[in-house]
Amino acid sequence: QVQLVESGGGLVQAGGSLRLSCAASGRTFSSYAMGWFRQAPGKAREFVARISRSGGNPFYADSVKGRFTISRDNAKNTVYLQMNSLKPEDTAVYYCAADRAIVRHTTAHEYDYWGPGTQVTVSS
């Protein structure tokens, strides 16, 4: 089992920045690739970013590429999502997720553990 808890969400104006954190406890954090997803009201949960077990090979959805950066600190059992140049369409609940697989997964059902989410609201 891996327990995940997100933090860092909030209300920000368009063009602003937020940094989300996801703290993990339980089994060895570095055994999991980590992903960030988001879900806006009335929409399906969508992939945002993924990072490998070692912290390499970051991969992003086209909608956030160049604006968001995923990183991890295995010594702190934490994954981060730095979000810059935020837009109103980035408004959603953001979730971190852990994946035992090495294959680069980008759909929610492929991930094994989830946090409860943190709300990000971007005002225009």
Side-chain angles (χ1 to χ4, degrees):
Q1 278 280 25
V2 176
Q3 292 80 42
L4 304 172
V5 179
E6 303 92 342
S7 61
L11 174 65
V12 63
Q13 288 188 332
S17 299
L18 281 175
R19 188 196 196 200
L20 304 184
S21 299
C22 173
S25 61
R27 289 189 175 179
T28 306
F29 178 67
S30 59
S31 298
Y32 296 86
M34 297 297 296
W36 284 96
F37 288 76
R38 65 188 182 186
Q39 188 165 16
K43 295 188 177 182
R45 193 167 297 189
E46 67 170 349
F47 170 78
V48 174
R50 175 185 171 94
I51 193 166
S52 70
R53 299 172 180 181
S54 64
N57 301 318
F59 182 73
Y60 301 93
D62 288 343
S63 59
V64 307
K65 200 173 296 182
R67 300 188 298 123
F68 290 11
T69 302
I70 188 171
S71 62
R72 68 189 293 165
D73 185 339
N74 285 345
K76 295 183 178 180
N77 283 7
T78 303
V79 62
Y80 305 97
L81 186 69
Q82 178 66 44
M83 305 186 294
N84 299 328
S85 302
L86 282 161
K87 304 175 182 179
E89 51 263 44
D90 294 318
T91 295
V93 177
Y94 282 72
Y95 300 89
C96 69
D99 183 7
R100 286 173 291 197
I102 297 175
V103 175
R104 188 170 66 194
H105 289 153
T106 59
T107 54
H109 76 272
E110 294 171 314
Y111 284 70
D112 301 295
Y113 302 103
W114 291 84
T118 185
Q119 177 70 47
V120 171
T121 303
V122 184
S123 62
S124 57

